[in-house]
Amino acid sequence: NMSPDPENEYFADGISEELLNILAGIEGLKVASRTSAFSFKGKNVPVAEIAELLDVRHVLEGSVRKQGNRVRITAQLIDAENDAHLWSETYERELLDIFRVQEEIAVAITTALEDVLGTRQIAVNAPTTDLEAYQLFLRGRSRFYQRGQDMDIAIADLQAAVDRDPDFAEAWGFLAAATGVVAGGGYPTESAPDVLAERSEQAVARALALDPELPIALAGMGRVQVEAGQVAVGVDMLERAARQVNPDTSPRLWLGIAFAEFGHVDRALPWFDSAHIQDPLVPINLGYLGYAYAVTGREDDGLHLVKRGLELNPGGTYWARLLAIEALNRGDFEQFAELREAVGQPPEQIQEFLQSFEAAVADADSRDAWFAQIPAEGAGPNTFRVILSLLLRDTDRLFEAVGRTDRSGENFVRLGAWLPSLGWLREDPRFYAFMRDSGAEAYWDAEGYPGGCRPVDDPEGRRLDCSEYAP
C-alpha cells in the first residue's frame, strides 16, 4: 500500500488477492496461496529466498496507490533463479477500470511466460458493477482472512457489500464464512452465536443460489451440513469445493477436519497435506497436518509441524494442546514439557504443573481441588474442563463439561478421541452417544467405521470396539 491512507491497506490486499485468484485459474501455473504469499509483505526478504520457501520459480510484486477514484498500480514479474525482471508495468486509471487492469496484468504475465505456458486466453468478469460494494468486499474479506480482533468489522463490511449489491455472490459467500467462523467460538464478538449461525446459513444459501459452484460457499454449506449432523451431505459438498482450482486452501482444510472429526484421519491426511503444500506458512495448516501425523504414528513429524506453527503464530495453541493430551496419556512427560515450552511456558511452571498432575492422578481429593478452581459456567471455562479431563482420563467430568462448552470445546473430544493412547475415550458408550448425536452413526453406517473399530452393544450401551484400531 503506497496510499497516504492506511485504510487502503485493505484495498491493496484485495487487489493482490484478486490477481492470485485469476492466476490460479490459468492452466500450467502453480500459485502459492494468499496467506503464505502475504507473509512476506513489508519484509526485506530476497526474492530467491521467498521463491524457495514458497516452492515457486517466479514472483509477482507490486504496489497500489489509491486516492479518491484514481488508482495507480505498479507490478513486476521476477524470475527468482536469476533475479531477472521479465516484465513490469505501471497503470494509472480510474477505479472504474480496476477489473480491466487486473485482466491486463494477468495477460502480461502469461505473455511473459508464453515459452512455458503456451498461449492462454484470459478474461476477467466483474463480480459486481457497484464499486463501493466491491471495496467493502475487499476490506471485509481481508479482515476475515486475518482472523484477528476485527471479525465483527469484517462481517459488517461484507454485510454492507451485499446490502448495496444483493447479487454479489462472492460477498455472500464470505459473509457466510465470516459469520460461521465467529459463531463457532474463539473470536471476540458482540453478536450471539445462534444469531450468527442463522445469518451464516442464510448467506450461504443466497451465495449458492447465485453461483452453485462458488468454492467458499460450497465449503461453507458443507460445514453447516456437517455441524447439523448431515455428515455425508456436508462432506460431499466440501469435497466438491476442495477439488476446485482455488488459491484459498480453506475448503481442503475444512474437508480434512470433517474427515478427522469422524475418525477417518487416513482420509483427512492427504487433504491436510495438500493444504500445507499450497500454503506452507499457514499455522492452521501446519497444526492440523501435525495432528494427523501424530494420530497416524509419525509423532516426531507431528511435533515438528506443530512447533513450526507456534513459531509463526504463538497464539495457535489448539494443536499443541491435542499433542500434549496424547503425550500425557501415554506418559511422555518429556514431550509434554517440550510442547509447553514451545507455547512459552517457563520450565518451573511446567514442573509445577506436572507435580500437581501426578498428585491429581494419584489422589481424588487433589483432583477435586484442581477442578474446583475452574468456574462451572461458561463455554471457555468448560473447554478448559474438557482439556483437563482428557489429561486426567476423567470421563465423568469430561462428558459433564462437554455439554456446557461450544463447538471449539466439543472438537477436543471429536479430534482427541482418535489419538493413539485415548482408547479409553473412543470405547466409552458416552462417546458413542455423543458422536451419534453429531450424526456419526448414520455416516459410519454408510461410509465405514474408523479403521479397526466396530460397534458393539454392551449393558452400558452401544460403544466402539477399537481393539484393532489402525488410523
Side-chain angles (χ1 to χ4, degrees):
N1 174 39
M2 299 296 289
S3 305
D5 184 355
E7 275 292 298
N8 284 329
E9 187 81 16
Y10 297 113
F11 182 78
D13 284 356
I15 296 303
S16 303
E17 176 77 19
E18 296 292 88
L19 286 168
L20 269 176
N21 291 335
I22 295 164
L23 295 171
I26 298 172
E27 185 182 357
L29 283 184
K30 174 214 168 189
V31 181
S33 287
R34 175 197 187 281
T35 312
S36 291
F38 277 32
S39 68
F40 298 101
K41 188 177 68 171
K43 298 178 182 177
N44 189 25
V45 181
V47 168
E49 185 177 340
I50 293 173
E52 182 180 359
L53 288 167
L54 296 179
D55 191 25
V56 297
R57 178 174 171 181
H58 301 89
V59 172
L60 176 67
E61 64 178 17
S63 62
V64 178
R65 178 182 290 273
K66 178 179 175 290
Q67 288 185 295
N69 286 324
R70 295 286 298 176
V71 62
R72 183 175 191 266
I73 297 177
T74 300
Q76 56 186 347
L77 182 69
I78 303 168
D79 186 332
E81 289 189 354
N82 53 25
D83 203 29
H85 286 61
L86 301 182
W87 161 84
S88 64
E89 188 63 75
T90 297
Y91 304 85
E92 295 203 38
R93 303 288 176 81
E94 294 292 325
L95 191 59
L96 190 65
D97 292 328
I98 191 64
F99 304 113
R100 179 74 59 82
V101 171
Q102 293 170 18
E103 183 176 296
E104 289 179 15
I105 292 173
V107 168
I109 290 169
T110 55
T111 300
L113 299 176
E114 195 168 17
D115 59 330
V116 177
L117 296 174
T119 303
R120 293 283 184 266
Q121 297 298 317
I122 309 296
V124 174
N125 298 316
T128 178
T129 57
D130 188 317
L131 289 176
E132 181 62 27
Y134 184 62
Q135 292 180 81
L136 286 163
F137 163 69
L138 294 182
R139 191 168 66 187
R141 183 179 62 181
S142 180
R143 284 188 163 118
F144 165 71
Y145 274 134
Q146 289 177 15
R147 297 292 207 280
Q149 301 297 306
D150 292 341
M151 291 293 279
D152 274 356
I153 302 176
I155 291 170
D157 286 338
L158 293 163
Q159 183 65 57
V162 298
D163 287 344
R164 289 190 62 93
D165 182 358
D167 294 329
F168 193 168
E170 198 170 4
W172 280 111
F174 276 92
L175 176 61
T179 48
V181 165
V182 176
Y187 297 96
T189 180
E190 295 183 4
S191 299
D194 56 341
V195 172
L196 288 170
E198 184 177 356
R199 288 179 64 188
S200 181
E201 291 186 36
Q202 293 169 349
V204 77
R206 177 61 178 159
L208 288 173
L210 293 165
D211 184 351
E213 294 302 314
L214 183 66
I216 191 68
L218 266 178
M221 181 59 87
R223 291 187 73 186
V224 168
Q225 295 294 331
V226 169
E227 292 178 12
Q230 302 300 313
V231 183
V233 174
V235 166
D236 179 68
M237 298 187 81
L238 284 165
E239 195 157 2
R240 281 167 56 197
R243 291 192 182 281
Q244 293 190 45
V245 175
N246 184 6
D248 181 358
T249 58
S250 296
R252 276 170 277 172
L253 179 73
W254 293 348
L255 175 60
I257 292 171
F259 279 136
E261 284 178 350
F262 293 94
H264 290 152
V265 183
D266 56 332
R267 299 183 195 177
L269 187 55
W271 293 107
F272 288 149
D273 197 37
S274 174
H276 170 61
I277 288 170
Q278 187 168 342
D279 238 345
L281 303 180
V282 175
I284 193 171
N285 290 350
L286 287 158
Y288 274 109
L289 182 59
Y291 158 80
Y293 278 171
V295 170
T296 53
R298 298 172 60 180
E299 293 89 355
D300 290 343
D301 291 336
L303 179 63
H304 171 75
L305 287 171
V306 166
K307 288 172 68 176
R308 174 62 176 144
L310 286 166
E311 290 173 10
L312 294 170
N313 177 18
T317 60
Y318 185 78
W319 313 279
R321 286 175 172 174
L322 283 169
L323 266 61
I325 290 166
E326 165 68 8
L328 280 194
N329 271 268
R330 68 167 185 262
D332 190 342
F333 286 12
E334 185 176 337
Q335 184 173 106
F336 177 86
E338 191 174 345
L339 284 160
R340 298 312 301 167
E341 285 178 10
V343 301
Q345 192 168 20
E348 59 273 13
Q349 288 187 15
I350 297 170
Q351 290 307 312
E352 182 180 336
F353 177 91
L354 287 173
Q355 289 171 5
S356 298
F357 172 81
E358 289 184 294
V361 169
D363 178 59
D365 289 340
S366 297
R367 187 159 58 252
D368 291 344
W370 210 356
F371 277 101
Q373 297 174 25
I374 309 170
E377 301 301 326
N382 275 291
T383 293
F384 184 60
R385 283 174 171 269
V386 166
I387 295 168
L388 196 56
S389 299
L390 289 169
L391 291 172
L392 291 165
R393 301 192 178 200
D394 192 326
T395 50
D396 291 337
R397 283 192 171 96
L398 172 64
F399 288 104
E400 180 184 347
V402 81
R404 298 177 178 176
T405 186
D406 55 17
R407 178 80 185 186
S408 177
E410 291 173 354
N411 276 356
F412 275 106
V413 177
R414 290 190 183 93
L415 294 171
W418 311 112
L419 291 163
S421 64
L422 269 69
W424 58 270
L425 170 59
R426 57 181 166 266
E427 297 200 3
D428 192 297
R430 287 167 293 184
F431 173 72
Y432 193 94
F434 169 74
M435 294 299 290
R436 181 171 51 211
D437 290 344
S438 302
E441 187 174 55
Y443 178 65
W444 287 337
D445 285 341
E447 301 294 330
Y449 281 74
C453 296
R454 62 186 182 89
V456 296
D457 290 310
D458 283 350
E460 297 83 6
R462 176 162 281 205
R463 65 176 181 84
L464 289 176
D465 175 356
C466 294
S467 53
E468 298 180 9
Y469 179 58

